Every structure is written in structure tokens, then in C-alpha cells.
Amino acid sequence: MNCKYSEKILLYFYNETDKDETEKIKEHLLTCVECKKNLQVLKGVSNHLDNSKAQPPESLIEGLVLQAHKEETPKFNFGDIFEGIRNHWKVSASTLVFAALMVGVFLPSSIKEVNLSWTSNIDNDLDSLEYSMYEEKDFSLGDYGESGEDSEYENTESEIESENGRILL
Amino acid sequence: MDWANKGTPRTPISDQVTDSELIKAYKKGDTQALETIMEKYKTPIYSYLLKMVRNRDSANDLFQEIFLKFIKNIDSYNEEKKFANWIYTVAHNTVMDSFRRNKNRHIESLDQVKGEDFKSLAETVASKELSPENGLIKSESGERIEKAFEILSDEQREVFIMRHYWGLSFKEIADILKVPIGTALARMSRALGKLKIELGHIGEAV
């Protein structure tokens, strides 16, 4: 039959019991043969395990180190940046606030000064100027008829004659 | 006799540089940091592997697999968590995967393992380099303990080895195994019960 202390003995052996439990277990060990025997076996096995620790061959370690050189991680990573921000968060935060203030003060005024072509209304003046010129041209062409581009070179004979007549007169 | 404080220390002996600092250095490309990490964890991990698979070739392959995973997946390691527990979880998962891969694996008999080890024992004695690092069975009681370990299930043996070689608390072991702490304790308690039957009064003899 298993003693109810069988698991507590393990905790006791590996120093995982508090002061009160340790005292209780010590008292228990004075009377419980089974637990005492468990403890003896545990000690014997532990001694053996201590004496049979093993190490891998050196060649295995050397091979792994060579492999690590091949897989070398990059020396720069974003983790460093985040860590820097985290470590100096006061400086980072004040820099950010200052930058935001600067943008808030200078950006709107600089935008106002810029006279963008699509907001300048320059087209309005241009349109009216062009229109008035067009109107004038129309008016000037009134004497020469409305027959198109060539009309200004195609005055009729009678017109030329009458013109000459006026000159002669 | 006061049995308390007889267990292995909870935390492995560490150098002045912490694991966290070593990992950061390695992530920045310092392979010397990797060598320090490997130096620190090679013995607990390799000892665990050898006791779990009981074959040096398999232990070598798994050791390589574990550290290659570490090298390739270091970016997935969350530095806020304990590195030891991360690498030990990788080791546990790798061993479990290998067990699944080799469902029909043939567990070598102790005689076979001894055959290999006696060969290397002869070599090391000849070169006067006999040391505990060789992981050799050196005494009659050691042989009996190894034989007794044979009868434990993989789960029972694993808790025993994790607790001893990795120096993790039962709570940490339970977290790696994804079981309640009571289950981890029960597995080790049952393992101890079996060992007690097999070994008799070995504790007195050692």
C-alpha cells in the first residue's frame, strides 16, 4: 500500500516543500519505513545519474557552430528599433509631439500661400479676354463677309473697283 | 539523516552572462554567444537524450536536430520566457517526434549498449581519460540501476531524468509535458515504486 506521503517525499528530496511541510515530513520519516526506503532508493539513483552524465562528441558541437555561421542572423533588425523606442519612450514621445506641433503650425499657412493653378481663377480672366478678342475679330471680319478663312483674300471684283473708285475720287 | 538539500540544484550553474544576454548577442550575429549557450546546455540535454533513447548514434542525431532547430528558429523564441524551459521543451518535443517516427523502434538491449560502452571504456582507460563525462556504467550498482530503468515506461523515466538532469521544478516539468503537476508527481512516484522493487536496498549500498 502506498503511503500518502509518497509524492511529498519527492518534493521534500528536491527542496520543493515549505518550512512547515518539511517539518511534517521529517516527523513522518521517523516512523514510516516505506518512505524511508523510497528516500534511500532516490538517493542511490540520484548518485548514479550524477555519475553517468554524458557529453556529446566535440565534432558534433563544431559542426553545429559551422552551421550557425552559415545561418548567421542579420545584424540589423526592427526589434532593435522597437527596443530603443521602448527604452527611451519619453524622448521618443516628446520628439513625436514636437514634430506634430511643427506640422500643425507651418503646414496650413504654407498651403494657403501656394497659388495652385486649379484654385487661382486665372482661367476666368483668360476666358473673358479670349472671348473679347474673339468678339473683336468677328467684328473686324464683318466687312469681309463670313465665308471662312479665304474670304479675306477673295474680295469681289466690284468691291475692288469701288475701292479703287473711292481712291481715285 | 537529513535528506533535504540532497537533490540537484534547481537552477543550472550559470556564467556571469545571463541566457537572455547571450540570446540577444547571438541574434545580433555573435556566434561566440551560441557556443557559450551550447557549452552550458550540452551536458543536461545530451544526458537526457542518452537515457531516453539509450543509443549513442540516435542521441547524436537528436542532439544535432535540437540545436539546428534552435539555430533556425531563434527568432520565434520569446525573450520574456525562460530560455532553459524553451530549449528543454524543444528537446522533449524532438524526442517525442522521434518516438512517433519509430513506432516500431527496436530498443537496444542493455547488453548492446554495454557492448559499445565497453569498447569505449577500453579506449578511454588506455588513454587515461576515464571520467564521469563518458557516461559509462562503472559499478555493479550502476548496472543494476540501468537495468531497473529499463522496466520504466518512457513517461516515467522522462520525469525522473528531467527532474534530475535539468533541475526543473515539478511545476515546470508539468508545463513542458502539458500535464497537471499531480500527473508529473504520480509518474515519478510510480517510477520510484518500481525502482524500489527492482533495486531492493540499493540506496544503502551506493
Side-chain angles (χ1 to χ4, degrees), chain B residues 101-113:
Chain B
R101 278 200 301 265
N102 308 311
K103 269 189 179 172
N104 300 320
R105 76 198 154 102
H106 169 65
I107 301 170
E108 289 184 63
S109 70
L110 188 62
D111 287 345
Q112 280 176 293
V113 176

Side-chain angles (χ1 to χ4, degrees), chain B residues 5-66:
Chain B
N5 303 314
K6 295 293 175 191
T8 47
R10 286 280 306 278
T11 49
I13 298 163
S14 60
D15 300 321
Q16 288 178 336
V17 185
T18 63
D19 284 353
S20 178
E21 287 168 330
L22 287 169
I23 297 297
K24 275 182 192 167
Y26 174 53
K27 278 185 175 178
K28 287 177 184 171
D30 179 2
T31 44
Q32 181 65 42
L34 171 74
E35 288 181 50
T36 310
I37 293 165
M38 285 174 69
E39 189 62 31
K40 187 172 173 182
Y41 287 97
K42 68 180 184 183
T43 304
I45 290 179
Y46 194 74
S47 302
Y48 159 81
L49 292 173
L50 208 53
K51 286 281 183 268
M52 288 304 288
V53 298
R54 285 166 286 169
N55 174 294
R56 283 190 189 276
D57 288 339
S58 302
N60 289 351
D61 289 345
L62 290 173
F63 184 84
Q64 200 167 17
E65 197 178 330
I66 290 161

Side-chain angles (χ1 to χ4, degrees), chain B residues 12-154:
Chain B
I13 298 163
S14 60
D15 300 321
Q16 288 178 336
V17 185
T18 63
D19 284 353
S20 178
E21 287 168 330
L22 287 169
I23 297 297
K24 275 182 192 167
Y26 174 53
K27 278 185 175 178
K28 287 177 184 171
D30 179 2
T31 44
Q32 181 65 42
L34 171 74
E35 288 181 50
T36 310
I37 293 165
M38 285 174 69
E39 189 62 31
K40 187 172 173 182
Y41 287 97
K42 68 180 184 183
T43 304
I45 290 179
Y46 194 74
S47 302
Y48 159 81
L49 292 173
L50 208 53
K51 286 281 183 268
M52 288 304 288
V53 298
R54 285 166 286 169
N55 174 294
R56 283 190 189 276
D57 288 339
S58 302
N60 289 351
D61 289 345
L62 290 173
F63 184 84
Q64 200 167 17
E65 197 178 330
I66 290 161
F67 278 94
L68 282 176
K69 281 180 186 174
F70 161 62
I71 291 166
K72 288 180 179 170
N73 302 309
I74 188 61
D75 290 330
S76 69
Y77 162 62
N78 179 357
E79 284 172 35
E80 287 171 8
K81 293 185 178 174
K82 201 172 160 186
F83 174 73
N85 292 13
W86 184 78
I87 191 78
Y88 289 150
T89 304
V90 172
H92 161 73
N93 290 340
T94 306
V95 168
M96 291 302 115
D97 286 346
S98 83
F99 282 178
R100 274 190 285 272
R101 278 200 301 265
N102 308 311
K103 269 189 179 172
N104 300 320
R105 76 198 154 102
H106 169 65
I107 301 170
E108 289 184 63
S109 70
L110 188 62
D111 287 345
Q112 280 176 293
V113 176
K114 273 168 61 185
E116 285 177 16
D117 286 339
F118 283 147
K119 191 181 168 189
S120 56
L121 175 64
E123 287 166 3
T124 41
V125 167
S127 62
K128 296 177 183 176
E129 287 177 355
L130 183 64
S131 67
E133 288 87 50
N134 290 303
L136 303 176
I137 301 162
K138 292 189 296 182
S139 64
E140 193 187 335
S141 60
E143 275 188 52
R144 287 182 63 194
I145 291 170
E146 286 296 325
K147 270 188 178 174
F149 258 90
E150 287 273 308
I151 62 161
L152 302 182
S153 70
D154 288 337

Side-chain angles (χ1 to χ4, degrees), chain A residues 13-16 34 38-40 43 46 48-50 52-55 58 67-69 72-73 75, chain B residues 3 5 7 26-29 31 34 42-43 47 51 68 132-133 146 163-165 169-170 196 203-204:
Chain A
F13 183 74
Y14 288 108
N15 305 317
E16 289 190 45
E34 192 186 335
N38 278 350
L39 219 45
Q40 283 175 338
K43 183 177 178 284
S46 291
H48 168 68
L49 291 175
D50 276 341
S52 58
K53 283 180 184 170
Q55 288 190 357
E58 275 305 311
Q67 183 70 27
H69 277 292
E72 199 172 346
T73 51
K75 297 188 178 185
Chain B
W3 288 98
N5 303 314
Y26 174 53
K27 278 185 175 178
K28 287 177 184 171
T31 44
L34 171 74
K42 68 180 184 183
T43 304
S47 302
K51 286 281 183 268
L68 282 176
E133 288 87 50
E146 286 296 325
R163 186 63 190 84
H164 195 83
Y165 283 139
S169 69
F170 284 103
K196 189 171 68 178
E204 290 166 4

